[in-house]
Amino acid sequence: MTTTLTPHRSRPAAQPPTLRARRLPKWLPPVIALGALLVAAAIVYGAGIGGPVLVVVLGALLYLAGLFAAANAVEGRRAARNRTWSALIHSAFVLAVLPLASVVWTLLSKGTQRLDADFFLTSMNNIGARDPNGGAYHAIVGTLEQVGIATLITVPIGILCAIYIVEYGRGRFAAAIRFFVDVMTGIPSIVSGLFILAFWVLVVSPYFNDGRPGFSGFAAALALSVLMLPTVVRSTEEMLRLVPAPLREGAYALGVPKWKTILRVVLPTALPGIVTGVMLAIARAAGETAPVLLVAGGGAAINFNPFENNQSSLALFVYQQAGDASRHAPARAWTAALTLVVLVLVLTVAAKLLARRNRLGR
């Protein structure tokens, strides 16, 4: 009996299942967006019910609906929901950036009209309504002095208060301090100005002014410090709480006293966040108008002495020039506003660089 051996033919290997799914073409979402804007413009302008803002809003809604429908037909319902929510998130980002970009563009376009030496080297003393000259030198001096004094008063008190709450405070007293700090966060600026007016200007200053109440830049600095204090305390408290506990425990294990641990370990670790909170407080103080108007009085002349006579600030200067009837006043107001923003920006960048340098140098 003979057996015939036939060669074994290997079957072709089965193809592995593919994980690639159908996806929308990259050109389709921009086409849907363009079509949505065209349809929205046709509806709005055809019916005469609005302008460009309504076109953008209606176009965004039509774009989301069209994108969901196209993605649902090609990629499936789950991918369609993912694309729609991603588009909503990006739209929210654009909506958040647009006001900021608008403010920056407006300041740059209108605030450069008086960027000259006369604006930064002269005051408004003896400047009439028809005089195109005059500057904000007196307001810049007042802002720097008032905010500087307020920072010197507020930062040590605020940081020490936050250290007490985080490191030492226990029980009802610490809870009461935290509660009143939260309450002070919502105090309107006009209230702080009234408080300093009633306490310092009307009660304390007559003892140093021959019995007469006197406005001063120092009074404005006190009012600004009232506004800055809760921001400094709350931001410093949160930064101190973020410092890892093992850092403290390691220092205690080495026999380092608690006060030295706070000074050498905790505060340097939290320094970038503390600087950010301080700069936020400074930015708020530099932009306040009501306290300066109530207790410093404003003024057109240069006053280098913050403890005597009226003193102005950039925020108050912007307010006064914006309400002035002179045709030259709006240009001064816009340039002063741009100067104030640039001043806060420079201080913030300098503080950030200083904190970063100190952190890297340890």
Side-chain angles (χ1 to χ4, degrees):
M1 180 177 178
T2 61
T3 304
T4 304
L5 299 177
T6 58
H8 177 71
R9 294 181 180 180
S10 59
R11 295 181 180 179
Q15 296 294 330
T18 179
L19 297 178
R20 300 184 61 183
R22 297 177 62 188
R23 297 186 62 85
L24 286 178
K26 294 183 178 180
W27 53 266
L28 188 55
V31 171
I32 295 175
L34 180 60
L37 285 176
L38 293 177
V39 172
I43 294 174
V44 172
Y45 291 115
I49 57 177
V53 176
L54 185 58
V55 170
V56 173
V57 173
L58 183 59
L61 295 177
L62 293 176
Y63 168 71
L64 292 176
L67 182 65
F68 179 83
N72 188 34
V74 176
E75 301 176 339
R77 193 173 187 83
R78 183 176 181 180
R81 288 198 299 266
N82 179 64
R83 279 187 177 272
T84 304
W85 281 105
S86 298
L88 282 173
I89 292 173
H90 287 90
S91 301
F93 169 76
V94 172
L95 288 177
V97 171
L98 279 178
L100 178 62
S102 176
V103 170
V104 172
W105 171 254
T106 304
L107 284 176
L108 291 177
S109 60
K110 296 186 177 182
T112 55
Q113 301 179 26
R114 284 297 314 276
L115 283 179
D116 49 40
D118 181 71
F119 182 82
F120 294 101
L121 298 178
T122 61
S123 67
M124 291 297 296
N125 199 24
N126 298 325
I127 298 296
R130 298 182 178 181
D131 194 343
N133 297 321
Y137 181 67
H138 62 297
I140 296 174
V141 171
T143 296
L144 292 177
E145 291 185 352
Q146 294 163 20
V147 175
I149 294 174
T151 303
L152 293 177
I153 295 173
T154 306
V155 172
I157 297 176
I159 293 178
L160 290 176
C161 182
I163 290 174
Y164 173 78
I165 293 174
V166 176
E167 302 293 340
Y168 296 97
R170 298 293 184 272
R172 295 182 179 179
F173 185 65
I177 294 176
R178 192 178 297 109
F179 171 76
F180 283 112
V181 168
D182 292 338
V183 171
M184 289 178 62
T185 305
I187 290 179
S189 59
I190 190 70
V191 175
S192 68
L194 288 173
F195 169 71
I196 298 301
L197 176 66
F199 168 68
W200 182 266
V201 176
L202 300 180
V203 177
V204 179
S205 65
Y207 290 99
F208 307 97
N209 198 29
D210 297 330
R212 293 179 291 103
F215 291 162
S216 64
F218 181 73
L222 292 178
L224 296 180
S225 65
V226 174
L227 299 174
M228 294 172 60
L229 185 60
T231 303
V232 175
V233 174
R234 292 298 293 168
S235 60
T236 305
E237 179 186 354
E238 295 302 325
M239 291 302 105
L240 294 179
R241 292 187 187 278
L242 292 177
V243 176
L247 291 178
R248 297 181 175 90
E249 295 169 356
Y252 297 153
L254 295 175
V256 181
K258 188 172 185 177
W259 68 270
K260 188 173 289 187
T261 300
I262 296 172
L263 186 62
R264 296 295 182 86
V265 178
V266 178
L267 286 179
T269 305
L271 183 61
I274 295 174
V275 170
T276 301
V278 170
M279 295 313 302
L280 288 175
I282 291 176
R284 181 190 179 185
E288 291 294 344
T289 304
V292 181
L293 180 62
L294 281 175
V295 300
I302 300 172
N303 180 17
F304 289 99
N305 188 356
F307 299 99
E308 292 182 2
N309 300 326
N310 294 15
Q311 196 175 55
S312 185
S313 68
L314 278 172
L316 181 57
F317 180 81
V318 172
Y319 170 75
Q320 292 172 339
Q321 292 299 310
D324 200 323
S326 173
R327 64 186 181 92
H328 304 290
R332 301 191 195 105
W334 282 112
T335 305
L338 178 61
T339 304
L340 180 59
V341 172
V342 172
L343 181 62
V344 173
L345 177 63
V346 170
L347 292 176
T348 302
V349 172
K352 284 288 188 180
L353 292 178
L354 182 61
R356 182 181 179 184
R357 179 180 178 184
N358 291 340
R359 186 179 181 183
L360 294 175
R362 291 194 301 272

